[in-house]
Amino acid sequence: MKSDSVSTIMTKNVVCVSSEQSILDVKHIYEKKEFHHHIPVTEDGKLVGMISLIDFMYNIKGAGINDDNIVYKELKVKDIMTPHPYSLTTTATIEDVAKVLAKGRHRAIPIIEKEKIKGIVSTADIIKFFLSQ
């Protein structure tokens, strides 16, 4: 039901990066199969930013797939991340998340508890949920 906790549909084992990591690490994450395309940025487990595939693509400026390209060595996660991303807590419902995502401003919502990342929900997760109903 849409009044169920968001924790029933969120991805719980979230791949995160730190703000000091190289964007080469981000590239390698995006090269993995079935990735959600949004990467939370954490410091000491606390959510401090978010990187989307669009953020990444705009900032690599056609660097291509070669890991040796200088852009992958020079840029850090902090240089391309969106700081202070919108998030919801683990008390949110599926309907709460669906309403936020339906506005079209976000494609994924990090789910936090006491400022620490607990999960992430994407538009694809919401669509799958409603199709299964």
Side-chain angles (χ1 to χ4, degrees):
M1 305 290 245
K2 61 185 181 180
S3 62
D4 288 350
S5 170
V6 69
S7 64
T8 62
I9 65 165
M10 71 184 186
T11 299
K12 293 179 177 109
N13 296 321
V14 183
V15 174
C16 298
V17 293
S18 75
S19 61
E20 290 300 321
Q21 278 183 261
S22 164
I23 65 163
L24 182 59
D25 294 335
V26 173
K27 176 183 176 286
H28 291 159
I29 292 168
Y30 282 132
E31 290 172 339
K32 291 179 181 175
K33 200 174 186 178
E34 296 184 31
F35 190 76
H36 278 267
H37 303 293
H38 287 80
I39 305 170
V41 181
T42 59
E43 295 300 329
D44 298 320
K46 293 183 180 181
L47 181 67
V48 297
M50 185 82 99
I51 296 178
S52 70
L53 181 59
I54 298 298
D55 295 331
F56 178 78
M57 296 304 289
Y58 280 144
N59 284 281
I60 64 168
K61 298 180 176 109
I65 60 171
N66 186 343
D67 286 359
D68 294 329
N69 191 296
I70 192 77
V71 74
Y72 296 126
K73 293 179 172 108
E74 289 181 345
L75 286 178
K76 300 262 186 217
V77 167
K78 66 182 176 185
D79 299 323
I80 69 170
M81 73 178 197
T82 300
H84 315 293
Y86 182 84
S87 62
L88 290 171
T89 67
T90 53
T91 62
T93 65
I94 293 170
E95 183 175 11
D96 294 334
V97 176
K99 284 179 180 178
V100 172
L101 292 173
K103 291 178 183 175
R105 190 156 187 261
H106 306 285
R107 299 287 178 251
I109 307 291
I111 306 301
I112 62 171
E113 185 176 285
K114 297 180 183 171
E115 298 182 43
K116 298 204 180 222
I117 189 92
K118 294 296 178 184
I120 192 165
V121 179
S122 70
T123 51
D125 296 325
I126 293 292
I127 291 168
K128 289 175 191 172
F129 168 78
F130 282 106
L131 286 174
S132 73
Q133 297 302 299

